[in-house]
Amino acid sequence: VLEYPSWTSESHMQSSISELNRFILSFFPDVKPQVYVPVSNILCKDAREWLPAVIPDLRVIASVYLPDAEVPAYVQEFEEASDGIIEFPRITSGYMPDDYMKWAAVNELGLHYVFSHFVHPDDVLDGYRNQGSSWTHMRKVLNDYLLWIYSAAPGIRNLTASQGAMAVQRYARVIPNYECDAKECRLSLEGFYD
């Protein structure tokens, strides 16, 4: 779909991800790669199944919450998958948030009180994604956007993707129970901790 060169086999895909994991560990031996962001947000069902075996410390997959109609993205909800991997989608991305991203961010704040933003490391160098803007301009636009978010959600916590995923896991494991009669409703929570 995106005219990328493709792997010739599943074993080549697995080898490339395994090599990426090894490469990261060679630079950061004390940091275990826990979050995987699918390339261009594309992750097929088969790769999703074998990915945890190839990245032994994988705890989180961070793709997208709102799909682009033109790309077959791996679309996620905030949840813990049956294999224990936390699905932690990104709501907005980039240094140059537009009105649609602001709309998406406000809606997600209202739904889950989550702001999940991703910046591609090469946005600064990519003429398409940086829209021909300088680093100074991009930094100002992103800074203004973040200040706007913090004014809308002053209680929001700053967390890494791994930390945010652990909050999602806590949320996903809560089981609400309620009993109501003519006079009252009693609410209790199971699985609530921290």
Side-chain angles (χ1 to χ4, degrees):
V1 171
L2 299 176
E3 300 180 8
Y4 289 166
S6 59
W7 288 283
T8 55
S9 69
E10 189 172 278
S11 66
H12 285 122
M13 280 192 273
Q14 292 171 345
S15 294
S16 73
I17 299 296
S18 182
E19 173 57 21
L20 174 62
N21 194 55
R22 186 209 61 76
F23 183 72
I24 292 168
L25 290 169
S26 73
F27 279 96
F28 306 102
D30 298 329
V31 177
K32 296 180 191 247
Q34 296 182 334
V35 180
Y36 178 73
V37 176
V39 176
S40 294
N41 305 314
I42 297 173
L43 181 64
C44 70
K45 182 179 181 273
D46 291 340
R48 171 60 182 86
E49 289 179 13
W50 56 251
L51 198 60
V54 176
I55 306 173
D57 296 305
L58 182 67
R59 300 274 293 133
V60 184
I61 296 176
S63 189
V64 293
Y65 191 69
L66 301 169
D68 179 339
E70 298 175 15
V71 179
Y74 182 71
V75 178
Q76 302 172 286
E77 291 289 334
F78 290 93
E79 64 186 352
E80 182 176 11
S82 60
D83 62 358
I85 300 295
I86 306 301
E87 303 281 346
F88 189 73
R90 299 175 334 269
I91 306 302
T92 59
S93 65
Y95 285 95
M96 308 288 282
D98 57 19
D99 288 341
Y100 175 79
M101 284 192 223
K102 290 179 180 179
W103 174 86
V106 166
N107 278 282
E108 185 52 32
L109 284 170
L111 183 60
H112 292 114
Y113 202 68
V114 169
F115 173 68
S116 175
H117 187 83
F118 174 82
V119 177
H120 294 87
D122 61 343
D123 279 355
V124 177
L125 305 174
D126 186 304
Y128 175 76
R129 287 198 301 258
N130 68 30
Q131 303 170 20
S133 297
S134 67
W135 163 244
T136 303
H137 177 72
M138 291 186 332
R139 187 181 70 197
K140 181 184 180 334
V141 171
L142 181 60
N143 189 58
D144 290 348
Y145 177 58
L146 295 174
L147 291 173
W148 176 75
I149 289 291
Y150 289 130
S151 69
I156 204 149
R157 297 179 293 163
N158 290 314
L159 304 173
T160 65
S162 295
Q163 292 167 334
M166 297 307 101
V168 167
Q169 185 180 53
R170 288 177 180 93
Y171 169 79
R173 290 182 177 182
V174 170
I175 301 167
N177 296 303
Y178 63 93
E179 294 178 27
C180 294
D181 58 31
K183 294 183 179 182
E184 65 183 9
C185 287
R186 288 177 291 286
L187 174 68
S188 63
L189 301 174
E190 292 178 46
F192 186 73
Y193 59 99
D194 286 354

